[in-house]
């Protein structure tokens, strides 16, 4: 994997201005830029669909930095997906539903920010009833599996409103990126 597309899927709201997502997005670029060719998209700033399709076709790995709003990605990021994941470019018809993906050999990674505390995952007594974080976002994984992509381990930070600890998040991200992409030293 040499070519990496990093997408910032944050959507601006007065209550959620996106500083944390932009910080993590910038940090991912910083951590990967010396060893990978990088292209970026900030959904909230606008984009050209054809240019985005070309970025996806160019990329070996797509990193999607996004907050989770109401259990999914922001509306503008969903609209981006709807416009960019094109029939006969990203997928085609198949005799078996979900097996027509054309982006095989490509990988994706979610980098997520949640207000939800980490303790609600893998906990039978909590909101997600024992489900893991990746089970909670299965619909997002399936969207990428449908187009033929394979997942890399998810990076996720939690409780971001009550406990905004940027230095901790950056340190955790550095270790995650080092492990997933085989760069630097784990610290």
């Amino acid at each position: 994997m040499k070519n990496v597309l990093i997408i910032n899927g944050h959507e601006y709201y007065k209550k959620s201005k996106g500083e944390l997502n932009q910080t993590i997005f910038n940090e991912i670029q910083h951590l990967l830029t010396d060893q990978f060719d990088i292209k970026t998209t900030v959904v909230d700033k606008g984009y050209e669909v054809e240019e985005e399709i070309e970025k996806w076709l160019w990329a070996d790995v797509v990193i999607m930095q996004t907050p989770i709003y109401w259990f999914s990605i922001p509306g503008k990021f969903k609209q981006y997906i709807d416009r960019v994941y094109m029939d006969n470019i990203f997928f085609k018809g198949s005799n078996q539903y979900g097996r027509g993906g054309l982006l095989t050999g490509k990988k994706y990674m979610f980098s997520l920010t949640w207000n939800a505390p980490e303790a609600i995952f893998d906990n039978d007594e909590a909101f997600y009833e024992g489900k893991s974080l990746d089970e909670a976002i299965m619909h997002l994984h399936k969207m990428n599996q449908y187009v033929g992509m394979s997942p890399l381990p998810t990076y996720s930070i939690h409780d971001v409103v009550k406990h905004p600890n940027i230095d901790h998040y950056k340190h955790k991200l550095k270790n995650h990126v080092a492990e997933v992409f085989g760069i630097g030293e784990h610290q």
Side-chain angles (χ1 to χ4, degrees):
M1 53 187 155
K2 178 183 154 201
N3 300 331
V4 179
L5 170 60
I6 308 169
I7 301 170
N8 182 343
H10 180 267
E11 182 174 347
Y12 179 89
Y13 289 99
K14 190 174 185 178
K15 187 176 178 180
S16 176
K17 296 180 173 121
E19 292 102 342
L20 176 59
N21 280 274
Q22 188 64 46
T23 297
I24 299 300
F25 174 80
N26 292 343
E27 191 68 15
I28 292 169
Q29 287 181 71
H30 172 74
L31 292 169
L32 295 178
T33 198
D34 287 343
Q35 296 185 33
F36 298 91
D37 293 325
I38 306 289
K39 292 186 180 184
T40 62
T41 297
V42 178
V43 172
D44 218 21
K45 291 185 176 177
Y47 53 89
E48 296 294 329
V49 170
E50 293 301 321
E51 183 180 334
E52 293 308 303
I53 290 170
E54 289 303 316
K55 288 179 185 179
W56 280 77
L57 296 176
W58 165 87
D60 299 311
V61 175
V62 178
I63 300 173
M64 295 175 233
Q65 171 58 50
T66 184
I68 297 297
Y69 290 169
W70 286 104
F71 312 101
S72 195
I73 58 178
K76 281 187 181 178
F77 193 18
K78 174 60 170 79
Q79 185 178 49
Y80 169 94
I81 298 289
D82 291 344
R83 291 178 172 172
V84 173
Y85 282 35
M86 296 299 297
D87 187 17
N88 292 319
I89 297 174
F90 281 41
F91 64 94
K92 64 180 179 185
S94 171
N95 290 336
Q96 187 176 8
Y97 183 81
R99 302 291 184 220
L102 298 174
L103 299 185
T104 57
K106 295 181 183 288
K107 298 186 181 301
Y108 70 92
M109 184 181 100
F110 288 118
S111 176
L112 308 174
T113 59
W114 298 68
N115 193 40
E118 192 169 6
I120 67 167
F121 301 102
D122 299 308
N123 180 342
D124 291 333
E125 304 300 317
F127 181 76
Y128 276 108
E129 301 168 351
K131 290 182 177 48
S132 70
L133 179 135
D134 284 304
E135 288 172 318
I137 60 165
M138 184 58 65
H139 60 295
L140 301 176
H141 284 297
K142 287 296 181 185
M143 146 183 101
N144 289 301
Q145 181 185 353
Y146 190 86
V147 298
M149 297 177 76
S150 302
L152 292 170
T154 301
Y155 171 73
S156 187
I157 55 180
H158 302 270
D159 213 4
V160 298
V161 173
K162 291 180 183 175
H163 300 101
N165 186 342
I166 302 297
D167 290 336
H168 172 72
Y169 301 153
K170 284 176 153 182
H171 181 75
K172 184 179 168 187
L173 176 66
K174 183 177 181 181
N175 288 335
H176 184 86
V177 167
E179 183 176 320
V180 170
F181 290 90
I183 60 173
E185 295 188 25
H186 305 281
Q187 296 182 5

